[in-house]
Amino acid sequence: MFNQEQLQALLSFEGGDHQVVSLYLDTDLTRESIDGVRLQARGFMKEIGPDFRDDAEAVERYLNYEYDWTTPGLALFSCAPLSFFVAHPVNVAFRNRVRLGARPYVKPLTHFLDYYAHYGVILIDRVGARFFEYDLGELLSSDGFMGEEVRKLKRGGGSSATGMRGGQGNNQREEAIVQRNLRQAAAAAARFFDNKEIRRLFLGGTSETASQFQDQLSRRLQSCLAGTFAIDMGSGEHEVRARALELLQEANARREEQLVDRLITFATSKREGNAVLGLADTLKALGEGRVQTLVLSDGYRVPGYVGQSTGFLFAFNGHAPEAASEELVAVEDIVESAIKLTLSQGGHVEVIAGNPELEAAGRIGAILRF
């Protein structure tokens, strides 16, 4: 499973005088056949030209003989002159794309790590519950709880209260069993998710039962709750995982909208002033070590310069920055360099797709530490 250490290893690799090929593929076989994916990969490698024939052969060899085709996403990185080839299959599909650069292109992977890290699912009904722990689309652990069966008693049966009609008494008894089951299921959920670093929790079941169960959850689990959905208690894990991924995408779309709104509000408010917008101001804040969260549009690429001695980043505006007193090294994508510098400073990176407000605001910005 892909992790932060592997991301850092990619960030630390430099091709020097050689270009690194970064190829992202949607390998979800419910949407495309194996032969179709191979054909797309071959087309991408032809697109970047004959100089990368050895890289193309490495990619084709991996797809033909090494990849097991069990994951819906695949990231490949190749620099044949330096005998560098890395493959990262993941449990979430990527958008098909290829990039060339002095370093591996990692923006989609940083997006993946942020979107799909540490989430849980609970399926609940009137009798029991099922618990699932996921990280990056992969099931890590699961368990369940089974309470007392809720029997539908015949009308006119014995009542637990003198003078009470049998039907009403039976209904109250059934409801008491249900509530006890929900309380015990909530306690079992708290035990299952204890010491598990879930950031989001999704609750599946009927709307009535899910609402009752939500009230029984611990405060910690309630604070993680990100959505509910209708699903049958006996659904297979594959369906549970697919529905959870859909909900994650919806939840993250809402979170991204809120993040962009916050960024723009902070950057344009005289009173707040704790954010910047635009490439030049963002790079300046990075050079000062002030960036807490770097926010950028998916696919945003700009050439620029890196200071050889200081590591400061400069945008390309048709000529080298006049203010720079040090030797500058031209790079094809200064945004990728900004991502690497943000992570090295302990900051966070958010890559956001399809947000018109961010596009209009310059496609990049940062929320600052100070």
Side-chain angles (χ1 to χ4, degrees):
M1 184 170 61
F2 188 73
N3 54 42
Q4 286 286 349
E5 289 75 18
Q6 292 169 321
L7 176 64
Q8 291 298 327
L10 288 172
L11 287 168
S12 66
F13 181 81
E14 296 189 15
D17 296 331
H18 305 288
Q19 295 278 283
V20 180
V21 178
S22 302
L23 177 63
Y24 289 85
L25 295 173
D26 180 346
T27 52
D28 186 343
L29 299 184
T30 65
R31 290 193 287 262
E32 185 61 85
S33 67
I34 291 177
D35 287 341
V37 175
R38 286 172 175 158
L39 185 61
Q40 288 179 338
R42 196 175 301 123
F44 278 123
M45 297 308 294
K46 285 183 179 179
E47 177 183 310
I48 60 177
D51 292 341
F52 299 93
R53 184 176 293 108
D54 290 342
D55 299 285
E57 290 177 358
V59 168
E60 188 165 358
R61 186 164 52 249
Y62 179 81
L63 293 177
N64 287 343
Y65 303 111
E66 298 180 53
Y67 185 42
D68 63 9
W69 300 96
T70 59
T71 60
L74 178 63
L76 299 172
F77 305 92
S78 177
C79 184
L82 299 181
S83 301
F84 176 79
F85 185 87
V86 176
H88 290 300
V90 301
N91 286 297
V92 177
F94 289 118
R95 178 167 66 86
N96 292 319
R97 71 182 90 183
V98 66
R99 291 286 188 273
L100 293 175
R103 301 183 181 91
Y105 172 73
V106 300
K107 283 200 283 283
L109 283 173
T110 61
H111 195 227
F112 167 70
L113 284 176
D114 182 64
Y115 252 54
Y116 300 103
H118 302 298
Y119 59 98
V121 178
I122 300 176
L123 303 191
I124 185 70
D125 66 11
R126 289 157 55 90
V127 178
R130 297 169 65 194
F131 315 125
F132 304 87
E133 177 200 9
Y134 291 97
D135 186 26
L136 303 176
E138 180 176 331
L139 178 67
L140 299 185
S141 62
S142 62
D143 203 349
F145 163 81
M146 184 62 68
E148 181 180 351
E149 184 178 353
V150 182
R151 296 180 180 274
K152 287 289 184 182
L153 301 178
K154 295 180 180 179
R155 286 184 63 87
S159 170
S160 60
T162 303
M164 183 177 290
R165 292 185 178 181
Q168 184 177 353
N170 290 338
N171 289 340
Q172 289 184 343
R173 183 184 174 204
E174 291 168 11
E175 185 59 28
I177 293 172
V178 170
Q179 292 302 315
R180 183 166 63 249
N181 288 341
L182 294 178
R183 287 195 301 272
Q184 293 176 348
R191 291 192 296 272
F192 176 79
F193 288 108
D194 187 34
N195 297 323
K196 292 181 171 63
E197 299 178 3
I198 62 165
R199 296 162 52 186
R200 302 175 186 88
L201 178 67
F202 299 101
L203 188 56
T206 66
S207 58
E208 179 182 1
T209 304
S211 176
Q212 292 177 328
F213 180 70
Q214 180 178 339
D215 294 336
Q216 304 288 348
L217 285 172
S218 66
R219 289 185 179 179
R220 172 178 175 257
L221 293 182
Q222 286 185 6
S223 69
C224 298
L225 192 61
T228 61
F229 62 105
I231 191 171
D232 186 81
M233 186 68 162
S235 298
E237 188 276 324
H238 181 78
E239 181 180 353
V240 174
R241 183 183 346 181
R243 294 295 304 277
L245 289 176
E246 291 175 2
L247 291 167
L248 268 177
Q249 291 166 354
E250 294 172 4
N252 277 297
R254 293 191 297 270
R255 182 183 60 84
E256 285 182 348
E257 289 180 3
Q258 295 169 355
L259 177 63
V260 172
D261 287 344
R262 181 182 171 210
L263 170 68
I264 294 175
T265 298
F266 282 6
T268 56
S269 170
K270 294 181 180 179
R271 184 172 59 183
E272 297 286 355
N274 200 32
V276 292
L277 288 170
L279 185 59
D281 286 344
T282 301
L283 297 182
K284 182 175 183 293
L286 265 173
E288 297 167 348
R290 300 171 61 204
V291 172
Q292 175 179 312
T293 303
L294 180 68
V295 183
L296 61 139
S297 294
D298 188 22
Y300 182 44
R301 303 180 73 211
V302 180
Y305 298 93
V306 178
Q308 201 165 39
S309 60
T310 64
F312 288 165
L313 309 181
F314 303 92
F316 176 76
N317 295 313
H319 54 80
E322 296 178 359
S325 58
E326 61 178 316
E327 185 176 350
L328 301 178
V329 177
V331 294
E332 292 186 0
D333 185 5
I334 199 66
V335 178
E336 188 74 10
S337 300
I339 289 175
K340 180 177 180 180
L341 183 55
T342 300
L343 295 173
S344 70
Q345 293 176 350
H348 183 64
V349 177
E350 294 272 359
V351 183
I352 295 178
N355 188 292
E357 286 76 19
L358 182 59
E359 296 284 326
R363 306 191 69 186
I364 191 168
I367 295 174
L368 306 179
R369 293 189 175 98
F370 55 89

